[in-house]
Amino acid sequence: MLDSLSNIFKITELRNKILYTLMMFAVFRAGIHIPVPGVDASVIESLFTSGNLFGLLDLFAGGALSKFSIFAMSITPYINASIIMQLLQSVVPQFEAWSKDGEDGRKKIAKVTRYGTVVLGFVQAAGMAFALRANNALVNNDFLSVFVVAIILTAGTCLLMWIGEQITAYGIGNGISLIIFAGIVARLPDGLETIYQYIQNGTINMFQAFLFAVIALAMIAVVVAVTQGQRRIPIQYAKRVVGRKMYGGHSTFLPLKVNQAGVIPIIFASSVLMFPVTIAQFIDNEFVHKVADLFTWGTPLQTALYALLIFIFTYFYTAISINITDMADNMKKYGGFIPGIRAGKPTADYVDNVMTRITLAGAVFLAVVAIIPNFLGSITGVQGVYFGGTALLIVVGVALDTMQQIESLMVTRHYKGFVK
């Protein structure tokens, strides 16, 4: 393993990509410590102890939101804009045509996504600025201060978007995902320090800490296994004679991922359930607060609705992310067929049936991974250390993708890879 890792730095191109990525990470981490002017830090600290939406988003911002730095919104508006664009590709014919137009179409989609990021970023930044004003967190509670804070936060998100695109172009790829990955991993030392302090103070014993570590490692192992899990449907291509050449006649397979939706259903479900709690902070009404209390994180109703929404969003997002009809038509166009299944609609029905069954396993997996942290604190006694399914799925998914990209570059240069 050590020899394989050392081979990474023997390839000049790969070494430069890694160093460039690390340099961009340093810029990202430096920006986290640059505070937004005109914000009262003591009030911000009190907001994060109340369990609102800010506390959830701080995980993806790598601690930037709790410090309320220029990167406080992280790359969240870009993720939202990308998800919206992906949904619109199934609804708007123009966007669907762009998605099938090769490199030019992808550039057009990326351009619209950037503009959408700016718009969504400013809307979110304005909402956060007005929330700070409502909680007396601004030094000057006038409209100009709100506008300045919104502009600074939007600019910070745009800078992060640019950094992510630079990592994708000149680094080891997946720039946006790597920024989120870096933000989540940066919180790991704080969690370990909290556990150490619990042990020192006698809040938990060594067995409880060991149990927490065992459950965490087991969750990581399961997430890796399911993330890599596929149902491979065999495909046979018939021989075709075009001119004097013969094409086809080979066998391959159609890989269908068990967790095709990734982390998106958990993000959707979390956002929906956090909305009533966040709104209640700005409305002084007893009924609204009672409703919000039902959706407090960890309550029985919240946990049940959380699992149900993850199920629904898993099937929904899988359905719009995979066009089975086009898949079957393309297979038929190039002479491919599933052994024992007629080409065309019967193939589409078969693939859809298989996808429905494996998506059920993926939905159960996502629901279990998402709600386990709700019980982890009561089981182990370790409170205040976030070990959620969303963060775990992102970290594992990005790590696996990055390893595969590095592996492909090493194998291309005739070096032995490190992925077994």
Side-chain angles (χ1 to χ4, degrees):
M1 173 61 79
L2 293 177
D3 292 338
S4 299
L5 291 175
S6 66
N7 288 336
I8 294 176
F9 295 95
K10 293 179 181 179
I11 306 173
T12 304
E13 180 186 357
L14 182 55
R15 182 175 65 248
N16 292 339
K17 286 178 177 291
I18 293 176
L19 292 177
Y20 185 87
T21 302
L22 294 176
M23 182 182 68
M24 286 294 144
F25 282 169
V27 175
F28 165 54
R29 296 304 301 173
I32 286 177
H33 300 283
I34 302 176
V36 176
V39 178
D40 190 340
S42 60
V43 179
I44 293 295
E45 184 178 356
S46 66
L47 287 175
F48 281 88
T49 61
S50 59
N52 56 22
L53 185 61
F54 287 172
L56 177 68
L57 295 176
D58 189 45
L59 177 71
F60 302 103
L65 188 55
S66 58
K67 298 180 177 66
F68 216 81
S69 73
I70 59 174
F71 292 156
M73 292 197 306
S74 185
I75 203 67
T76 305
Y78 180 86
I79 297 174
N80 295 335
S82 300
I83 294 173
I84 291 173
M85 276 299 298
Q86 190 168 0
L87 295 175
L88 290 178
Q89 289 174 30
S90 303
V91 180
V92 181
Q94 184 63 53
F95 292 160
E96 184 179 4
W98 287 354
S99 65
K100 300 178 181 179
D101 195 22
E103 186 65 26
D104 291 338
R106 284 192 291 270
K107 289 181 178 179
K108 292 178 182 177
I109 292 175
K111 185 177 181 180
V112 175
T113 304
R114 293 190 195 102
Y115 286 126
T117 300
V118 175
V119 174
L120 291 177
F122 183 77
V123 172
Q124 182 177 336
M128 292 175 65
F130 276 109
L132 294 177
R133 182 184 182 187
N135 286 276
N136 297 317
L138 297 180
V139 177
N140 298 315
N141 282 341
D142 54 2
F143 179 78
L144 180 60
S145 298
V146 172
F147 181 76
V148 170
V149 169
I151 290 294
I152 293 175
L153 292 177
T154 305
T157 294
C158 292
L159 178 57
L160 277 182
M161 178 176 62
W162 178 83
I163 291 174
E165 292 180 348
Q166 296 305 301
I167 293 176
T168 302
Y170 305 107
I172 55 178
N174 294 331
I176 301 299
S177 299
L178 283 172
I179 288 177
I180 302 174
F181 174 87
I184 295 174
V185 171
R187 303 300 301 275
L188 181 60
D190 293 337
L192 295 176
E193 183 182 358
T194 301
I195 295 176
Y196 177 75
Q197 290 177 353
Y198 282 163
I199 297 175
Q200 291 292 102
N201 298 334
T203 306
I204 62 174
N205 53 41
M206 291 298 297
F207 175 77
Q208 290 174 304
F210 177 75
L211 181 61
F212 181 87
V214 169
I215 295 176
L217 291 175
M219 288 179 62
I220 293 173
V222 171
V223 169
V224 171
V226 176
T227 301
Q228 296 287 75
Q230 295 178 346
R231 167 69 187 276
R232 297 182 175 183
I233 300 177
I235 299 175
Q236 181 71 39
Y237 282 90
K239 294 182 179 179
R240 296 180 301 148
V241 178
V242 180
R244 295 184 179 182
K245 294 184 178 181
M246 180 177 292
Y247 297 90
H250 63 279
S251 300
T252 183
F253 60 86
L254 176 65
L256 299 178
K257 297 182 66 175
V258 175
N259 183 24
Q260 180 66 39
V263 74
I264 301 300
I266 296 180
I267 295 176
F268 279 177
S270 301
S271 301
V272 171
L273 293 178
M274 279 292 184
F275 185 74
V277 180
T278 306
I279 291 298
Q281 296 181 5
F282 310 115
I283 299 178
D284 188 14
N285 183 279
E286 184 179 356
F287 175 75
V288 174
H289 284 280
K290 286 183 178 180
V291 173
D293 290 339
L294 297 176
F295 292 92
T296 302
W297 190 267
T299 59
L301 177 62
Q302 187 272 342
T303 303
L305 288 177
Y306 194 27
L308 178 62
L309 287 175
I310 289 174
F311 257 85
I312 295 173
F313 286 135
T314 300
Y315 274 96
F316 172 74
Y317 191 77
T318 301
I320 67 170
S321 62
I322 298 181
N323 194 326
I324 296 178
T325 303
D326 286 352
M327 188 186 300
D329 290 342
N330 290 332
M331 196 184 304
K332 181 179 180 181
K333 178 180 177 181
Y334 293 103
F337 63 93
I338 300 174
I341 307 295
R342 292 180 59 187
K345 189 176 185 302
T347 295
D349 293 339
Y350 175 79
V351 175
D352 182 66
N353 186 35
V354 172
M355 197 71 229
T356 300
R357 285 182 291 173
I358 66 174
T359 300
L360 175 62
V364 172
F365 158 73
L366 288 176
V368 171
V369 169
I371 65 176
I372 277 182
N374 291 4
F375 307 100
L376 192 58
S378 57
I379 294 174
T380 63
V382 179
Q383 303 288 345
V385 178
Y386 183 82
F387 190 78
T390 308
L392 187 57
L393 285 167
I394 291 175
V395 169
V396 170
V398 174
L400 290 174
D401 288 343
T402 304
M403 288 174 61
Q404 290 171 358
Q405 290 196 26
I406 296 176
E407 171 83 359
S408 64
L409 286 172
M410 293 176 67
V411 172
T412 303
R413 302 303 189 280
H414 307 291
Y415 279 88
K416 182 181 178 181
F418 57 91
V419 178
K420 304 298 182 183

